[in-house]
Amino acid sequence: MARQFDIPQFYRSPIIGTIKSARTAADPRKRDLTPSVVDFGPVNFKIARNFGFCYGVENAVEIAYRTLEAHPDRRHFMLSEMIHNSHVNDDLRRRGMLFLRSTMGEELIPLSTLKPDDVVVIPAFGTTLELKAQLEELGVDVHVYDTTCPFVTKVWRRSEQIGRKNYTVIVHGKRYHEESQATFSHAQQHAPVVVVRDTDEAHDLAALIKGKRDRSFFFERFADRYSKGFDPDRDLKRIGVVNQTTMLVTETQAVTDILRAAINERYGSGDHFIDTSDTLCYATHENQEAARALVHSPLDLALVIGGYNSSNTSQIVTLCKEAVTAYFISGAEEILSPLQIRHFDYEAQKLVYTENWLPEVHPVSIALTAGASCPDMLLDEVICRIVSFFPGARSVEEALGPYAEAIAA
């Protein structure tokens, strides 16, 4: 049986909780990716089979809240945002949690002010070995309150393994995302490391591997993204690819295929490339596959809910936009009216407003999904907000009837 985490009740939801329970009872192995349909009459919602809090996030949330309750007499700090969801982080702040750094690494509270009896919680993304060493020098315990996702630590272990076999570690990720910074820090203890953001950069690295670009190109193109002492002539002969767990799984595979093909072209299909596909996060893969299935059904639009600095949520938005008009929102507060929605443009990194976002057709069919750090209750609030625009819509109890009956059966 899967472990059950003690998540605060206010993060749980009557609507989504009922749907998830019914789907799990009918399909415990999650083989059926068909969206769940909740029909309110003039509006219906098609809800992705998989989304929301994953194992690593639930573990982090449980530890953070349990720590606050267990040590009310001590100061509590987070290294940075525990997960990329403003609702969760803001609630922790209200309960007394202080944040030492921003997600971009900006110091908010000097480490020098910490005392040995302070509680410092390491977020789900993990942290660098360098920062851990600083905390240990201050006498702070860096082990008891470590919420690093086990799938992130799996990437670190795999990086160490391939490094010890004399392979270079290629990290598919965003260089200054907290998780990639942590992976870079751990991997460089055992191997040369370079971070590749996307397939364009993978093609450029492939050109270097094949000898079609020189070392000066490498140092210019990948500035700030390689480990100390990296030598492209020496260190691109034997490689393995690991990933930031929140990246698009298909893109990680594409990056891997590009680099493997370059290695095979230059050196043949011997032992110059090591398979590391076992580092992919199952939750990221499940959520992305469910999003693909979701948007390939008849829809008028899609809403993707999550933190605006959430990498895994942005990947789901990208997937949805390939098939349907999709809006990236943090919660129901962004749905200003039936005529106007405020949403995040991830590419431009800014909030924008769209008029007449809700089509004047009946019934309106809306796809709904969320990132791995999004509490289910935020989807409940979005559903209720939109249903309120339709006088005469079915009640929640009536719309959920088929799912409640499935659970009862």
Side-chain angles (χ1 to χ4, degrees), residues 332-333 335-338 380-389:
E333 68 277 5
I335 303 173
L336 305 179
S337 75
D380 275 30
E381 293 173 0
V382 166
I383 290 171
C384 292
R385 172 69 171 154
I386 294 174
V387 170
S388 72
F389 300 148

Side-chain angles (χ1 to χ4, degrees), residues 125-127 148 152-160 182-183 186:
F125 315 107
T127 191
T148 304
V152 174
T153 58
K154 181 179 180 180
V155 173
W156 297 349
R157 289 195 302 271
R158 193 71 172 103
S159 298
E160 178 179 352
T183 296
H186 283 75

